[in-house]
Amino acid sequence: MTTDKQNGPEPEEVLEEKDFDPKQTEAVEAEEVSNVEIVEETSEGTDLQKEIDALKASELRIRADFDNFRRRTNEENAKRVKFASQTVVEKLIPLIDNFERALQVEATSDDAKQIQAGVDMIHRQLLDVLNGENVEVIEAVGQPFDPNYHQAVMQEPSDEFESGIVTMELQKGYTMHGRVIRPSMVKVSE
C-alpha cells in the first residue's frame, strides 16, 4: 500500500478532483449570480411592496372620498325632498292670516254665522294640510325673546313680564321641519 501512495493519488482524492470539473464551477458561478439576482429581486420586492402599500392607501382614500360624496348627496336629496313644498307653504301662510282675521269678526246674523262656520272649516282644513307638511306655529307670548324665532318690532316696560320676555304677538311665526319659514313679529318687555 505504501507503493500505492507513492504511485498516485488515492481514489478519494481522484473523486475530489473530478468534483471540480469546469461544468460544476460554471454551476457554482451561476448559483452565485442567482443569489445576487435574489438580493436584487428582494430590493425590488421591497420597492414593489412599498408601491403596493401606497396604491392600497390611495384606494382607501378614494373609497372614503366616494363614500363621503355619496352620503352628502343623499343628505342633500333628502333635504330637497323634505323642503320641496316650502315655497307653496310660504304662499299659504298669508291666507291663514286672512282666515284668522275673518274669524275674529263677530257675526250677528244667522247668515253671517253660517258663513263664518264655513270659513272656520276651511281654516281648519288648511291647518291640517300644513300640519301634514310639518308646519308648526312658533309659540311666542311668555317666551324669552329669541332672535332666531322672533322679530321684535316694539319694546315696552311691563309689570307682568321680566325683561326680554315676549309680551304680545303681532303676527304668528311658523317653522317647517324645525326650520323657521317666517319669524313671529312680537312686542318685547324692557
Side-chain angles (χ1 to χ4, degrees):
M1 286 208 158
T2 54
T3 54
D4 284 316
K5 286 183 184 178
Q6 290 173 356
N7 287 342
E10 289 185 9
E12 289 178 14
E13 291 177 11
V14 171
L15 285 178
E16 288 177 13
E17 286 179 14
K18 285 184 182 178
D19 284 342
F20 294 110
D21 69 60
K23 291 180 184 176
Q24 282 186 342
T25 56
E26 287 176 13
V28 169
E29 287 176 3
E31 186 177 324
E32 288 175 359
V33 167
S34 69
N35 286 343
V36 169
E37 288 175 357
I38 289 173
V39 169
E40 288 176 2
E41 285 178 8
T42 304
S43 65
E44 282 181 18
T46 56
D47 290 342
L48 290 176
Q49 188 61 41
K50 287 178 184 177
E51 188 175 338
I52 289 170
D53 292 342
L55 289 173
K56 284 181 180 178
S58 175
E59 178 191 10
L60 289 176
R61 278 192 302 276
I62 290 171
R63 283 185 183 205
D65 287 344
F66 183 72
D67 288 343
N68 290 338
F69 170 76
R70 185 177 8 181
R71 180 186 47 79
R72 253 189 336 269
T73 304
N74 289 340
E75 288 173 2
E76 288 172 4
N77 287 338
K79 265 187 184 177
R80 193 174 299 121
V81 168
K82 191 177 189 180
F83 294 104
S85 61
Q86 182 174 346
T87 56
V88 173
V89 168
E90 288 172 347
K91 292 176 183 176
L92 291 175
I93 287 175
L95 293 174
I96 293 173
D97 294 339
N98 290 332
F99 275 113
E100 289 174 354
R101 283 187 206 103
L103 292 172
Q104 288 176 353
V105 174
E106 191 171 325
T108 54
S109 69
D110 288 337
D111 289 340
K113 287 180 183 179
Q114 288 178 352
I115 292 173
Q116 193 172 31
V119 169
D120 185 43
M121 284 191 328
I122 296 170
H123 177 253
R124 279 185 282 147
Q125 282 181 327
L126 186 56
L127 289 177
D128 289 342
V129 168
L130 292 179
N131 285 335
E133 293 294 321
N134 289 317
V135 176
E136 297 175 359
V137 175
I138 296 172
E139 296 297 324
V141 177
Q143 301 294 319
F145 175 75
D146 184 352
N148 296 317
Y149 295 99
H150 307 125
Q151 179 181 357
V153 292
M154 298 173 72
Q155 243 185 340
E156 69 178 5
S158 173
D159 296 332
E160 186 181 342
F161 295 101
E162 295 177 14
S163 178
I165 302 295
V166 174
T167 59
M168 179 191 265
E169 183 177 55
L170 304 171
Q171 185 181 45
K172 286 186 179 181
Y174 295 92
T175 62
M176 181 176 182
H177 297 288
R179 180 193 286 179
V180 175
I181 54 176
R182 184 174 84 177
S184 298
M185 273 204 263
V186 296
K187 185 191 305 186
V188 182
S189 62
E190 288 182 332

